[in-house]
Amino acid sequence: MRYYEDLVVGEVSHSSRSYDVTREEVIEFAGKYDPQPFHLDDEAAAKTFFGRLSASGWHTAAMTMRMMVETWKDGEPTASLGSPGVDELKWIKPVYPGDTLRVVMTLITKRRMNSRPEMGLMKSKQEVFNQNDELVMSMVSNGLIKVRNPDVFEDETA
């Protein structure tokens, strides 16, 4: 189990799995959560900036979360306690059916929480690339992680 103390600022990890974007899933997700014409209809999408049917940015974020969780499951389990949110989310290039995505995660900072000595707060950057190594999305998110020994308080802010 990886705890707060095991995290190394600057550490980079790559998703253990990729994600194949399918036309069916793009349309299904959009139909439920982002029903804009360029996510649902080829003809409508052809008349937009996208040029063809594209995945919702929210769908791209959800696919990214899936790859991150699968990577954690494939490796050493982490003592994750959830997330208080995202600081930054940028959709850089459209994601299309037929694309294959992967994510690179970099730990930016970590710090112990004064109010909750049993947990630490970590900030990481996620960069999502397609099969052509083009950056399609970036995100800076926060995570809560359990401290191995809450009685020992050594702030390792980086």
Side-chain angles (χ1 to χ4, degrees), residues 93-94 99-102 128-136:
K93 287 187 70 103
D99 282 352
T100 299
L101 305 179
R102 65 182 177 83
V128 183
F129 297 89
N130 65 18
Q131 68 282 355
N132 299 317
D133 287 330
E134 298 169 315
L135 183 64
V136 298

Side-chain angles (χ1 to χ4, degrees), residues 64-65 68 72 82-89 105-109 121-126 138-144:
T64 299
M65 189 68 207
M68 290 167 48
W72 298 328
S83 172
V86 172
D87 290 346
E88 177 183 296
L89 176 62
M105 300 159 277
T106 305
L107 183 62
I108 300 170
T109 63
L121 179 67
M122 60 182 185
K123 184 181 299 281
S124 61
K125 181 174 187 175
Q126 294 77 38
S138 68
M139 175 172 67
V140 175
S141 62
N142 301 288
L144 300 171

Side-chain angles (χ1 to χ4, degrees), residues 26-44:
V26 166
I27 293 171
E28 180 184 2
F29 185 96
K32 288 181 180 179
Y33 305 109
D34 192 357
Q36 298 182 76
F38 41 84
H39 299 316
L40 295 167
D41 180 74
D42 292 308
E43 217 171 283

Side-chain angles (χ1 to χ4, degrees), residues 73-87:
K73 288 166 104 176
D74 288 346
E76 185 177 7
T78 59
S80 174
L81 297 170
S83 172
V86 172
D87 290 346

Side-chain angles (χ1 to χ4, degrees), residues 19-27 38-40 42 45 50 52-56 59-60 63 94-101 131:
Y19 198 101
D20 295 325
V21 183
T22 67
R23 174 184 172 76
E24 296 75 23
E25 190 176 354
V26 166
I27 293 171
F38 41 84
H39 299 316
L40 295 167
D42 292 308
F50 301 107
R52 60 187 170 114
L53 192 74
S54 64
S56 164
H59 186 192
T60 302
M63 291 183 280
V95 171
Y96 298 109
D99 282 352
T100 299
L101 305 179
Q131 68 282 355

